Amino acid sequence: MDQEDRIALFLDYENLALGARDHRGGAAFDFRPIADALAERGRVVVRRAYADWSYFDEDRRMLTRSHVELIEIPQRMGASRKNAADIKMAVDAIELAFERDYISTFVICSGDSDFTPLVHKLRELNKRVIGVGVEGSTSGLLPPACDEFLYYDRLEGVDIPPTRRGRARPTTRQAGAEQRPTEPEPEAEHRPQDAEPDRDVDTLAVQVAQTVAGLQGSANGEVTASRLKRTLLRKDPTFSESDYGFRTFGELLRHLAERNVIELAEGPAKGDPEVSLPEHGDREVAFGLLRGVVADLGSGGNPVALSGLKNQVRRARPDFSEKKLGYRSFLQFCKAAATAGVVDLRWSPEADDYLLTIQT
């Protein structure tokens, strides 16, 4: 138990409940998916929800069954009522951060950007902060401030909004009712979305390779799967492997390893493999490709400008990406090829560009 994170959960309930109803086709808010998601991240020792509960009678029963402490914010006029809930929640969170050293993680359930300063202060106090919000009602300022941000809509156990299904059914225009079999084709349009994850995974593969390369370059020891996941979350707190169709981060890494984007080896702890970029085999192939393109374009020993060269390389090999090989830019890739003696690379003030030639 000592290894577990202790979590304090704070719910800006009005923001969550109204956000769910307004942006999810009137669907009622369900606390259980949030509780399940947090159970995977540690032990929740504090659960508090803030609202004027006279507006949320049914919800109050649901939260009480889940052992959430209900903090009453009495009805006031307009914005003052909202501010009273926000201020009370922020004060309680800061007070708890100072009084309970053993609490390592604070979960702020709200999409309101007014909580951004609270998130910054909690992180300043060396607390990990997880945000939770409804996707359609979450301010763009809040997720980047958190260590991790979970969109309620994407959590396991949250039903698809009824409005998405309802669109397939014609409710008006009886005369055109028979012409609308194309409307159910959002199903057919949804099937190609099976192909969309593949494109997304390609983008993710580049991001993972680039991140591994950066971590390896920082020379802070081996890159483990857990360290890689933490870094990806720092880059994008909304990152989740489930958005790409994978159940676990390990499953995602194994998929990328099968595609030779990364390599996995036994790590210092069981279940936490070491992640590295493939050895030079692929790079040598890529260097050979670059040499061949430069030789073709610069026949007769003429130098080839760096500008536009990447497009020519991609014409020869459409799936080429220097980032999959661990290079942050095409120039960095060309410099590595020059260091390996594959090409000659020099800056030309006259051309205001790098020029490449084949070494003889």
Side-chain angles (χ1 to χ4, degrees):
M1 187 178 289
D2 290 338
Q3 300 298 321
E4 292 181 316
D5 280 340
R6 265 59 166 198
I7 297 173
L9 169 64
F10 292 84
L11 295 103
D12 176 10
Y13 196 77
E14 185 170 343
N15 179 278
L16 280 178
L18 296 184
R21 290 171 190 174
D22 292 346
H23 296 275
R24 306 193 69 256
F29 175 78
D30 184 6
F31 175 70
R32 177 51 52 190
I34 293 178
D36 290 345
L38 296 182
E40 298 167 359
R41 287 163 171 79
R43 181 177 171 224
V44 181
V45 295
V46 174
R47 301 183 183 195
R48 295 179 186 172
Y50 298 74
D52 183 340
W53 296 108
S54 62
Y55 286 91
F56 303 102
D57 195 44
E58 288 300 319
D59 306 57
R60 181 171 56 188
R61 294 188 183 91
M62 175 262 295
L63 292 170
T64 302
R65 286 195 297 268
S66 297
H67 311 289
V68 178
E69 180 184 358
L70 306 182
I71 309 299
E72 179 73 34
I73 306 297
Q75 170 71 48
R76 291 191 177 90
M77 296 296 293
S80 64
R81 177 169 58 86
K82 172 189 177 299
N83 291 339
D86 293 357
I87 292 169
K88 172 65 173 168
M89 184 167 144
V91 169
D92 285 359
I94 292 297
E95 182 180 38
L96 208 63
F98 280 107
E99 289 185 349
R100 304 286 189 269
D101 287 341
Y102 58 82
I103 296 179
S104 57
T105 301
F106 283 74
V107 179
I108 307 299
C109 293
S110 177
D112 193 339
S113 62
D114 290 350
F115 287 105
T116 304
L118 170 62
V119 172
H120 288 314
K121 179 56 67 175
L122 289 170
R123 295 185 69 183
E124 186 181 318
L125 294 171
N126 197 30
K127 305 298 184 182
R128 174 173 161 80
V129 181
I130 300 174
V132 182
V134 177
E135 194 160 6
S137 63
T138 295
S139 165
L141 298 174
L142 189 59
C146 301
D147 292 295
E148 183 179 3
F149 196 90
L150 306 174
Y151 284 116
Y152 170 77
D153 320 56
R154 305 181 191 177
L155 294 178
E156 187 71 30
V158 176
D159 293 332
I160 297 171
T163 49
R164 288 188 191 168
R165 295 188 196 122
R167 268 187 211 163
R169 293 184 189 163
T171 55
T172 59
R173 283 208 268 171
Q174 288 182 331
E178 296 196 312
Q179 279 180 275
R180 289 223 49 160
T182 48
E183 272 286 352
E185 289 216 272
E187 290 261 333
E189 271 180 11
H190 250 51
R191 295 270 148 74
Q193 255 185 338
D194 285 8
E196 251 178 30
D198 290 339
R199 287 197 293 274
D200 288 340
V201 170
D202 285 342
T203 303
L204 179 64
V206 171
Q207 184 183 0
V208 168
Q210 191 173 5
T211 302
V212 172
L215 290 172
Q216 287 180 329
S218 66
N220 287 332
E222 66 278 336
V223 180
T224 60
S226 57
R227 184 183 175 198
L228 175 60
K229 175 75 178 282
R230 287 195 300 270
T231 305
L232 290 171
L233 281 170
R234 281 196 290 269
K235 288 184 173 183
D236 177 10
T238 67
F239 168 79
S240 172
E241 59 275 0
S242 63
D243 291 341
Y244 299 87
F246 298 96
R247 291 170 297 175
T248 64
F249 189 62
E251 184 179 314
L252 167 62
L253 293 182
R254 288 191 292 274
H255 173 78
L256 295 180
E258 288 170 3
R259 294 177 55 183
N260 207 32
V261 175
I262 57 172
E263 287 183 348
L264 299 177
E266 188 174 344
K270 186 177 180 181
D272 192 13
E274 185 176 340
V275 186
S276 61
L277 294 174
E279 285 304 323
H280 299 297
D282 276 1
R283 296 184 196 185
E284 288 172 0
V285 171
F287 288 163
L289 173 66
L290 175 67
R291 179 184 175 89
V293 172
V294 171
D296 290 343
L297 295 175
S299 54
N302 294 321
V304 177
L306 179 69
S307 300
L309 180 58
K310 183 174 178 178
N311 290 335
Q312 299 298 325
V313 171
R314 279 188 165 166
R315 283 184 183 178
R317 184 175 167 183
D319 64 340
F320 170 80
S321 170
E322 72 280 358
K323 291 183 174 64
K324 286 184 180 180
L325 301 168
Y327 299 104
R328 288 189 174 87
S329 66
F330 187 65
L331 173 59
Q332 188 184 46
F333 167 72
C334 291
K335 285 181 176 179
T339 302
V342 176
V343 295
D344 182 61
L345 177 71
R346 62 182 178 84
W347 173 257
S348 170
E350 296 81 13
D352 194 28
D353 200 353
Y354 284 97
L355 299 179
L356 292 87
T357 54
I358 299 299
Q359 288 192 356
T360 55

